[in-house]
């Protein structure tokens, strides 16, 4: 591992639910500060660019782990990895996925929208910690639209957003939608004159576009407000 490959950053996945935690790997690392510190120090010996550690939403010491990452020379943390969970069984109450004739299964990581409130809470806790102001934060976990990304930026002080589940569920075109939506929301935040009028991003009603409708809008009330 060196700088020759020209990676901008490295993200260390020390919190994967599928990374054989029963053998001391994956998420087994995420709650042991000494292990995290040792790994980050070793990586920084060979990689001089920014190093991030991906936190576990299952951890109760994410602030402590973040402090250890910074102490070891890391740039910051990613909030968060997937959440340790058990997938819904099928209609016959067989586990899913089921492997082999014995239908063996195990716990895994839940991602997408179910993860977002937890990831946002982790990011916000770190962002508000007085001793972690210099930690860079990357957001990941159920970001589906621009409003989700903005919430991580505003409350979690995140400057980078990772998108995975949304791309898998839709397609890569959602990235452009997120870019456009985030620009629009940032524009709205700077327009105090529109906010005071109660504008929330929708186009205001226009007389010429209402002529074919069977109901009558009360434009006078809207204009007054």
């Amino acid at each position: 591992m060196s700088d020759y490959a020209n990676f901008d950053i490295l993200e260390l996945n020390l919190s994967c639910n599928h990374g054989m935690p029963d053998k001391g790997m994956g998420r087994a690392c995420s709650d042991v500060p000494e292990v995290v510190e040792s790994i980050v120090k070793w990586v920084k010996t060979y990689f001089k660019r920014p190093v991030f550690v991906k936190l576990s939403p299952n951890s109760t010491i994410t602030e402590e782990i973040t402090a250890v990452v910074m102490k070891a020379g890391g740039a910051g943390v990613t909030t968060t990895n997937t959440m340790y969970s058990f997938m819904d069984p099928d209609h016959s109450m067989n586990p899913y996925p089921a492997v082999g004739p014995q239908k063996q299964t195990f716990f895994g990581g839940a991602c997408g929208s179910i993860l977002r409130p937890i990831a946002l809470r982790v990011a916000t806790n770190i962002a508000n910690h007085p001793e972690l102001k210099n930690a860079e934060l990357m957001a990941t976990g159920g970001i589906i639209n621009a409003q989700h990304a903005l919430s991580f930026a505003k409350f979690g002080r995140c400057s980078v957003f990772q998108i995975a589940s949304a791309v898998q569920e839709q397609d890569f075109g959602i990235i452009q939608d997120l870019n456009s939506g985030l620009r629009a929301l940032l524009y709205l935040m700077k327009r105090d004159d529109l906010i005071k009028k109660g504008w929330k991003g929708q186009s205001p009603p226009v007389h010429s576009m209402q002529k074919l409708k069977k109901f009558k809008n009360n434009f006078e009330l809207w204009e007054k407000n």
Side-chain angles (χ1 to χ4, degrees), residues 1 10-15 24-47 51-54 65 68-69 71-74:
M1 182 171 58
L10 278 185
E11 181 185 66
L12 308 182
N13 188 354
L14 307 184
S15 52
M25 294 183 280
R27 66 178 177 82
C29 302
S30 62
D31 259 349
V32 186
E34 296 80 10
V35 173
V36 174
E37 182 177 4
S38 176
I39 293 174
V40 174
K41 281 184 177 179
W42 181 84
V43 172
K44 287 297 294 181
T45 301
Y46 299 95
F47 190 80
V51 172
F52 286 73
V53 169
K54 198 166 192 177
I65 294 295
V68 166
V69 171
K71 178 183 175 183

Side-chain angles (χ1 to χ4, degrees), residues 14-184:
L14 307 184
S15 52
C16 181
N17 295 294
H18 309 280
M20 295 188 290
D22 53 314
K23 297 183 178 180
M25 294 183 280
R27 66 178 177 82
C29 302
S30 62
D31 259 349
V32 186
E34 296 80 10
V35 173
V36 174
E37 182 177 4
S38 176
I39 293 174
V40 174
K41 281 184 177 179
W42 181 84
V43 172
K44 287 297 294 181
T45 301
Y46 299 95
F47 190 80
K48 304 306 179 185
R49 299 184 185 185
V51 172
F52 286 73
V53 169
K54 198 166 192 177
L55 298 177
S56 170
N58 310 292
S59 175
T60 59
I61 56 170
T62 49
E63 294 97 323
E64 182 178 345
I65 294 295
T66 303
V68 166
V69 171
M70 302 297 291
K71 178 183 175 183
V77 294
T78 302
T79 63
T80 63
N81 211 323
T82 56
M83 186 167 52
Y84 201 41
S85 58
F86 186 28
M87 198 160 183
D88 291 331
D90 65 17
H91 64 285
S92 300
M93 292 298 102
N94 290 316
Y96 179 84
V99 178
Q102 294 181 335
K103 294 182 171 54
Q104 293 180 320
T105 192
F106 201 67
F107 305 123
C111 57
S113 293
I114 193 172
L115 178 61
R116 187 172 57 254
I118 292 93
L120 183 58
R121 183 259 304 165
V122 173
T124 302
N125 280 344
I126 296 171
N128 291 332
H129 197 288
E131 298 179 6
L132 300 175
K133 297 297 184 182
N134 294 327
E136 295 289 343
L137 302 179
M138 289 199 290
T140 180
I143 297 176
I144 308 297
N145 60 41
Q147 187 171 330
H148 300 153
L150 187 60
S151 66
F152 275 97
K154 179 176 175 58
F155 297 102
R157 195 168 48 78
C158 299
S159 56
V160 180
F161 315 106
Q162 295 187 28
I163 313 297
S165 298
V167 174
Q168 295 174 4
E169 293 171 358
Q170 300 183 44
D171 57 47
F172 200 73
I174 193 175
I175 301 300
Q176 184 58 48
D177 294 340
L178 286 166
N179 282 334
S180 300
L182 193 54
R183 290 170 186 267

